[in-house]
Amino acid sequence: MLRYTLMRLGIFVGCLVVVWGAVYSGIAPRGLGSSNGLWIVALALIVSAPISLVVLRKERDRASVQVAQRVDRMKANLDANRSQEDVADDTARAQGQTS
């Protein structure tokens, strides 16, 4: 997951540099008044999103498999803990009834 996040951040930073260059060279329009920085970040986000969607597809699938495996493992551990508690509770109740 960290690898995917860093790759996505890298694509965003690359787009940010390209958009910044395009805005200051006059290829892309400038923002109104003091909003130029926000305009550049917004354009970089808009440009980097579809690039990340296409370029990082395999990495995103790999990360989702790892997350799904971790969730399944946590669910199995939780179920095992619940069953141990049930056995301990049943044992304690059985001992309480015979006394």
Side-chain angles (χ1 to χ4, degrees):
M1 199 64 189
L2 179 65
R3 181 178 172 180
Y4 172 75
T5 302
L6 291 175
M7 291 171 76
R8 176 107 191 228
L9 185 63
I11 289 173
F12 170 72
V13 169
C15 289
L16 186 67
V17 169
V18 169
V19 168
W20 178 80
V23 167
Y24 280 102
S25 68
I27 296 172
R30 290 181 183 259
L32 298 175
S34 63
S35 67
N36 199 36
L38 184 62
W39 172 250
I40 292 171
V41 171
L43 280 177
L45 282 170
I46 291 169
V47 170
S48 70
I51 292 172
S52 295
L53 188 68
V54 173
V55 172
L56 299 179
R57 180 170 302 181
K58 289 181 183 177
E59 190 63 35
R60 189 175 51 252
D61 291 343
R62 191 174 308 137
S64 70
V65 166
Q66 289 176 350
V67 169
Q69 288 173 347
R70 184 173 292 162
V71 167
D72 290 342
R73 192 171 48 240
M74 290 175 71
K75 284 182 182 178
N77 289 340
L78 184 62
D79 288 341
N81 288 341
R82 283 184 185 159
S83 66
Q84 286 177 353
E85 289 175 1
D86 290 344
V87 168
D89 187 45
D90 290 345
T91 304
R93 287 180 189 211
Q95 289 177 352
Q97 288 177 356
T98 58
S99 298

